[in-house]
Amino acid sequence: MLALGIESSCDETSIALLDGDIDSSLSFYDQINNFKSLGSIVASQIQIHAKYGGVIPEIGARQHSEQIHWLFLQVLNQATKQNAEQINQTHLDFLKKLDYIFVTNQPGLISGLRVGMEFAKTLQFFIHKKTGNFVEIDHVNHLNGHLISCFYQNTEQKLSDNQVFPHLHLLVSGGNTRLILLESPNKIQIVGKTLDDAAGECFDKCGRMLGFPYPGGIYLAKTAQIKEGNPANLPIGMNNNKSLDFSFSGLKTAVRYYLQGIDIPDFGFEKALKKGEVKQLQQSSPPCHSEWSEESHNYTRHPAKINFIKNTAISIQTVIIKQLINKFEQGIKTYNPKSIGISGGVSANALLRQKVEQLGIKNTFITPFELTGDNAIMIILAGITGHLKK
Ligand code: KG4
């Protein structure tokens, strides 16, 4: 099966092409890993939206429509290069063999989603006219894409369905935090979800309060690295509570009040950090005197501020990850899964990845780093999963 994936739900445009066979004699894990990437590309809009401190849907949609054709061509170029032994194979030869177009249709920013879906339909029309091949279009839920991406491990390891299911999954993205039970690949049950903000949203908003550029969560995490603190002043949401739901808005408010009461030279609530300060905060340790250059000296004028932001970032990250791990552990006790997994943008977080590994579940699927953000490979994987025997 040759499948094209299209993702345009938020601030990344992505196209991918996977090739493989659905073989119902194989387990789910083996079938998914049967598919190989012939081409894949992700174009991020972060730099464009950073100017505004958040995603502007209309600007995002325009970017998707400017990028999508060019990205499609790049992926076809990658695919033809990979198949170099079949000389003289044109892009059209490839499209003649295309079986499916999997495109994200929800959830996301509607103007962005429309670009992807219209592109899929136009492509279907074009391929049919040019080659006679009528390619089927399948709509894919973006969150299912994140979820399935954890199983795409690019290893030789074989795993039977009994070793994988039931699977308990922590999906942590910019807009969603969910605990999901998979009895089988297509039997999805949400057993916990956030009652207010998502973990990624909380990371981003706290990062912004500290003065980091958009998306604040990534800068906050890079500053905290894998260090842990013991913050008595910040609440762990839904602590001592039997529910498997999450809540991050209390933490966000506590961080706001805490930061508004701080009096440290040059530090201000949501006061934008200078470029050099951001760079300095991401170094494992601030430069010592002998390393000071003219440039670094410029941004080391306020060591108390730098130390304060570093420690606060560590505290905030610690509390967010604690809540995620507490609820994941609680879910594991409740459902006794054969395997666990994490996915979504926040699953790129180094401390979270470490803590999930330390839960000690034999089959733990940590989404490959390059698939944690939005991408079209995961959309194809979820599309393929929908075609497997239920
Ligand atoms: O999955 P994603 O790309 O978007 C959605 O589908 O919603 O997730 C983006 C989110 C942002 O909130 C971003 O700050 C967060 O993932 N993120 C991180 C890290 N990398 C990305 N949060 C914490 N630590 C990270 N290393």
Side-chain angles (χ1 to χ4, degrees), residues 289-306:
H289 279 271
S290 59
E291 290 168 331
W292 277 11
S293 62
E294 184 80 358
E295 190 202 3
S296 70
H297 188 74
N298 276 341
Y299 54 78
T300 321
R301 284 211 188 113
H302 301 285
K305 170 185 170 184
I306 297 298

Side-chain angles (χ1 to χ4, degrees), residues 23-315:
D23 177 351
S24 53
S25 70
L26 297 178
S27 68
F28 161 72
Y29 182 84
D30 296 352
Q31 288 195 77
I32 283 292
N33 284 288
N34 231 342
F35 280 80
K36 300 292 168 233
S37 171
L38 297 185
S40 154
I41 196 159
V42 179
S44 168
Q45 303 174 359
I46 282 186
Q47 297 300 336
I48 291 153
H49 297 294
K51 278 186 256 169
Y52 309 97
V55 178
I56 308 288
E58 181 55 30
I59 294 177
R62 286 179 198 199
Q63 280 300 313
H64 288 307
S65 53
E66 272 176 31
Q67 297 280 328
I68 204 159
H69 308 86
W70 179 82
L71 296 175
F72 173 63
L73 266 183
Q74 296 293 311
V75 166
L76 283 182
N77 285 341
Q78 289 173 15
T80 38
K81 266 193 201 134
Q82 267 200 46
N83 279 263
E85 73 276 9
Q86 296 179 27
I87 12 167
N88 296 332
Q89 183 155 267
T90 63
H91 290 173
L92 218 48
D93 292 331
F94 245 98
L95 297 177
K96 227 185 262 175
K97 294 186 286 183
L98 193 63
D99 295 299
Y100 285 96
I101 299 175
F102 294 116
V103 57
T104 310
N105 75 328
Q106 60 163 325
L109 302 172
I110 191 69
S111 47
L113 290 167
R114 284 238 65 90
V115 174
M117 291 194 291
E118 292 303 333
F119 182 67
K121 280 196 266 177
T122 310
L123 207 54
Q124 182 191 49
F125 179 79
F126 169 82
I127 296 172
H128 187 228
K129 280 276 166 217
K130 283 280 185 189
T131 72
N133 176 19
F134 190 78
V135 187
E136 190 176 316
I137 296 178
D138 262 17
H139 289 161
V140 174
N141 183 307
H142 176 84
L143 296 178
N144 288 353
H146 277 307
L147 171 66
I148 298 299
S149 64
C150 83
F151 299 108
Y152 197 56
Q153 291 289 337
N154 203 11
T155 70
E156 294 300 310
Q157 190 187 12
K158 304 255 177 248
L159 286 174
S160 71
D161 286 345
N162 282 337
Q163 291 171 291
V164 175
F165 301 106
H167 168 85
L168 191 69
H169 192 94
L170 179 66
L171 193 162
V172 265
S173 69
N176 287 276
T177 302
R178 290 182 177 178
L179 207 50
I180 299 166
L181 182 69
L182 282 172
E183 290 288 351
S184 61
N186 285 302
K187 210 164 163 210
I188 301 173
Q189 191 190 346
I190 299 165
V191 294
K193 60 184 183 321
T194 183
L195 302 177
D196 37 60
D197 290 353
E201 211 173 335
C202 185
F203 260 111
D204 288 342
K205 286 179 178 163
C206 292
R208 187 189 170 116
M209 290 186 223
L210 284 172
F212 287 113
Y214 171 83
I218 295 181
Y219 290 98
L220 189 156
K222 276 193 188 158
T223 298
Q225 297 170 5
I226 50 166
K227 297 194 181 77
E228 285 183 87
N230 194 9
N233 58 335
L234 298 178
I236 301 171
M238 305 297 275
N239 213 13
N240 304 321
N241 181 320
K242 285 214 165 93
S243 152
L244 292 177
D245 288 335
F246 304 82
S247 168
F248 292 98
S249 66
L251 170 61
K252 193 183 65 185
T253 310
V255 171
R256 167 181 287 269
Y257 286 136
Y258 173 58
L259 294 181
Q260 283 174 338
I262 289 298
D263 184 14
I264 285 180
D266 202 48
F267 175 78
F269 179 76
E270 289 193 354
K271 180 179 170 187
L273 293 163
K274 295 177 196 78
K275 264 191 187 163
E277 291 173 329
V278 174
K279 201 169 144 195
Q280 185 184 358
L281 278 159
Q282 321 227 321
Q283 289 162 359
S284 45
S285 50
C288 63
H289 279 271
S290 59
E291 290 168 331
W292 277 11
S293 62
E294 184 80 358
E295 190 202 3
S296 70
H297 188 74
N298 276 341
Y299 54 78
T300 321
R301 284 211 188 113
H302 301 285
K305 170 185 170 184
I306 297 298
N307 275 338
F308 171 74
I309 293 177
K310 183 121 195 153
N311 289 332
T312 310
I314 292 171
S315 298

Side-chain angles (χ1 to χ4, degrees), residues 337-369:
K338 291 276 175 52
S339 74
I340 60 169
I342 52 167
S343 67
V346 181
S347 73
N349 186 278
L351 182 65
L352 178 63
R353 293 168 89 87
Q354 186 190 73
K355 295 279 170 195
V356 170
E357 290 280 11
Q358 286 169 357
L359 289 172
I361 304 291
K362 188 173 167 218
N363 291 317
T364 293
F365 302 109
I366 311 258
T367 295
F369 189 80

